[in-house]
Amino acid sequence: MITTDPSLQSVPIAHHPDPAVLLAYSAGTLCESVALAIACHASICRGCRDEIERLNAVGGAMISEASPAAVGDDALDRVLARLDEPVPPAPVAPHLDAETRTVVPGPLQRYLSCSLSTLPWRRIGRSLEEARLPLSGSGVKTALVRIKPGRSVPRHSHAGLEYTLVLAGGYQDNGEDFRRGDYAEFDSSHEHQPVADADGGCLCLVILDAPLRLSGWLGRLINPFLRV
Amino acid sequence: MFATALSAPFWPLPPHRRLGSIAERSKQLVARLGLTNEDLCKLMEAIAARKDRQAFSQLFAFFAPRVKGFGIRRGVEPAAAEEIAQEALLAVWRKAETFDRRKASVATWVFTIVRNKHIDLFRRHAYPEVDIEELAETADDAAPADRALASAQDGSAVREAMRNLPAEQLLILQKAFYEDKSHRAIADELGLPLGTVKSRIRLALARMRGALPEAVHDHD
């Protein structure tokens, strides 16, 4: 079981998105999945949230400074006529249990149909379980992934990019520790083998924009299961 | 300030226009007044507190042409840019209670709504937003909730900082916001190594950080 001990949250976040990615988030350039990972990271990381606020302020200045384009004479009247229209009801949020609300950042909670414990987890080999998330973007796979305590993900590299955000527990990869809130981006030049903490395993949000390329015999064996 | 201005216009109006619609009067008013962030905040708060249509009309007169201009600058057809402007301003009306002047300027808040409308219209998906509430619950985060980027609330500080950016840094911010280009696309287009584009973004952000420190102070 993944530990939800709040003391884990006081470990400072060590791995942040590149400022270029924060800019792309603020400008609205990211796909829904990567935007979700950044929104979740920034919901936990005040420093990155402040950076995004500053970038949003740049966007605000760009709107203020945009050359005004005349709107139709009836534009305001048309909007005034719609002010009393009923607001489309917000989708009913499913009940999420306390563990889920503690572990899953707000932006991601809106994509869950149920609590973590009742998600349709699918076993992949002996070390991993994944639950796909319903996000847009063809060829992009977005999933919650659990790595069992002390187990490793098969050594792999990537045809495209892999993005991970740790939500609970932690893992080690190439000698570095990744814990709650840590964000990592790996490209095709990067071969790695994350190993989950021995005491609690690891829960991550993982986004793949192309299938993994597994290395090693075990990888080739389970490769078909990991296809996007 | 606006209530006074509306009840007793200080410029002469031709008689046939004096009884014009709210829309007409707001257009005339805003055309004559430059609105500061403080003015815009008061309009937002009037909308939130009492569904004030006159305040909304003034806000519309200020923002709709700018939002449309911003859309056109992003390469959107004028008709679609106007549709976005109308939808965005309708969303401003509906979400007015969520506006908090301690957290952002009105222009910044409107920008995020406009950005999301662009994504909704052209890419047909929601854009996940940072959940600020969550930060207050984080165990190690004892900072007060209103420790906002106070100076970011005043749009003039941001504009001033942008004017002082080196041209090569400003160009990249403009390509991101106006042309919706990723750092990779910008690097390709400018024929620059990705690392150069990233370091210019980092430098631009450091300058904005210097211009927009995190202390809370008054703007009025």
Side-chain angles (χ1 to χ4, degrees):
Chain A
M1 197 56 234
I2 287 150
T3 174
T4 56
D5 179 353
S7 67
L8 282 180
Q9 295 182 14
S10 62
V11 178
I13 296 172
H15 301 273
H16 302 271
D18 190 280
V21 179
L22 298 180
L23 171 61
Y25 172 80
S26 173
T29 312
L30 297 179
C31 72
E32 188 180 10
S33 297
V34 181
L36 175 63
I38 299 301
C40 287
H41 171 81
S43 297
I44 304 171
C45 173
R46 187 174 285 279
C48 287
R49 200 261 285 180
D50 286 351
E51 293 281 41
I52 289 169
E53 292 280 324
R54 275 186 283 268
L55 285 162
N56 288 346
V58 171
M62 297 227 178
I63 284 200
S64 301
E65 305 235 302
S67 325
V71 295
D73 284 339
D74 60 343
L76 174 55
D77 288 328
R78 284 167 62 175
V79 176
L80 283 172
R82 292 176 61 195
L83 295 186
D84 295 326
E85 277 179 11
V87 179
V92 181
H95 173 75
L96 301 175
D97 63 23
E99 184 211 8
T100 305
R101 282 182 277 116
T102 309
V103 168
V104 177
L108 177 52
Q109 285 183 20
R110 290 184 261 289
Y111 289 91
L112 293 184
S113 55
C114 58
S115 297
L116 287 174
S117 57
T118 48
L119 279 175
W121 294 98
R122 196 169 66 109
R123 289 185 59 160
I124 299 172
R126 291 184 170 184
S127 325
L128 295 182
E129 287 176 307
E130 70 160 30
R132 295 276 194 109
L133 295 169
L135 277 86
S136 65
S138 59
V140 180
K141 174 172 127 174
T142 310
L144 286 170
V145 172
R146 292 202 285 218
I147 317 173
K148 293 187 178 165
R151 306 304 288 251
S152 68
V153 178
R155 179 165 288 278
H156 62 279
S157 62
H158 307 273
L161 291 166
E162 176 188 307
Y163 309 81
T164 60
L165 179 73
V166 180
L167 300 177
Y171 67 82
Q172 274 212 328
D173 190 17
N174 292 336
E176 289 188 277
D177 278 324
F178 292 79
R179 350 220 115 259
R180 177 169 168 83
D182 278 330
Y183 171 90
E185 217 179 287
F186 303 106
D187 64 17
S188 53
S189 64
H190 187 108
E191 191 177 279
H192 68 149
Q193 185 171 30
V195 181
D197 288 356
D199 53 357
C202 185
L203 174 72
C204 296
L205 172 66
V206 177
I207 298 150
L208 298 174
D209 70 359
L212 295 181
R213 282 193 303 237
L214 296 175
S215 349
W217 68 269
L218 179 64
R220 279 193 295 278
L221 197 64
I222 69 169
N223 196 29
F225 297 97
L226 284 169
R227 288 263 159 78
V228 171
Chain B
M1 161 185 192
F2 286 102
T4 325
L6 277 172
S7 54
F10 51 84
W11 62 91
L13 288 177
H16 68 280
R17 304 194 74 174
R18 217 168 274 166
L19 298 171
S21 65
I22 291 178
E24 195 54 46
R25 284 170 59 190
S26 304
K27 223 183 277 177
Q28 292 161 9
L29 185 75
V30 172
R32 283 167 177 78
L33 298 174
L35 297 186
T36 64
N37 184 54
E38 177 62 24
D39 300 332
L40 295 168
C41 283
K42 286 187 175 147
L43 294 176
M44 283 305 305
E45 284 153 8
I47 296 168
R50 47 180 190 279
K51 296 273 170 205
D52 185 329
R53 286 170 179 252
Q54 222 153 52
F56 176 76
S57 301
Q58 289 171 36
L59 203 75
F60 186 98
F62 181 81
F63 274 116
R66 286 172 170 81
V67 172
K68 184 176 176 183
F70 179 76
I72 291 171
R73 183 101 197 242
R74 268 175 91 116
V76 177
E77 292 291 318
E82 178 148 342
E83 188 193 332
I84 289 172
Q86 291 187 21
E87 292 295 329
L89 270 295
L90 184 61
V92 165
W93 169 266
R94 288 177 176 167
K95 295 180 175 194
E97 312 85 70
T98 68
F99 172 73
D100 181 347
R101 66 157 77 204
R102 294 168 307 169
K103 292 189 174 137
S105 74
V106 178
T108 299
W109 186 73
V110 168
F111 162 73
T112 60
I113 290 175
V114 169
R115 175 196 67 196
N116 295 355
K117 287 286 169 200
H118 273 256
I119 292 166
D120 185 41
L121 188 70
F122 293 107
R123 307 213 305 249
R124 298 278 165 207
H125 67 73
Y127 203 62
E129 289 197 80
V130 180
D131 197 331
I132 297 169
E133 307 305 316
E134 176 156 349
L135 283 165
E137 296 164 16
T138 306
D140 64 329
D141 187 20
D146 62 355
R147 177 197 148 286
L149 292 168
S151 41
Q153 295 165 11
D154 184 348
S156 64
V158 187
R159 292 196 293 274
E160 179 67 21
M162 284 166 62
R163 268 191 289 278
N164 291 330
L165 280 182
E168 58 183 29
Q169 292 173 23
L170 182 60
L171 177 69
I172 290 174
L173 294 184
Q174 286 172 331
K175 285 199 173 294
F177 283 101
Y178 286 138
E179 297 174 27
D180 195 15
K181 288 199 169 111
S182 72
H183 41 288
R184 290 187 180 81
I186 294 169
D188 284 349
E189 184 191 315
L190 300 179
L192 292 169
L194 186 57
T196 305
V197 171
K198 283 184 170 182
S199 83
R200 286 181 188 173
I201 293 170
R202 188 169 291 122
L203 290 169
L205 263 162
R207 281 182 171 249
M208 300 308 290
R209 207 178 301 133
L212 306 172
E214 293 146 342
V216 173
H217 54 237
D218 239 331
H219 300 286
D220 298 355

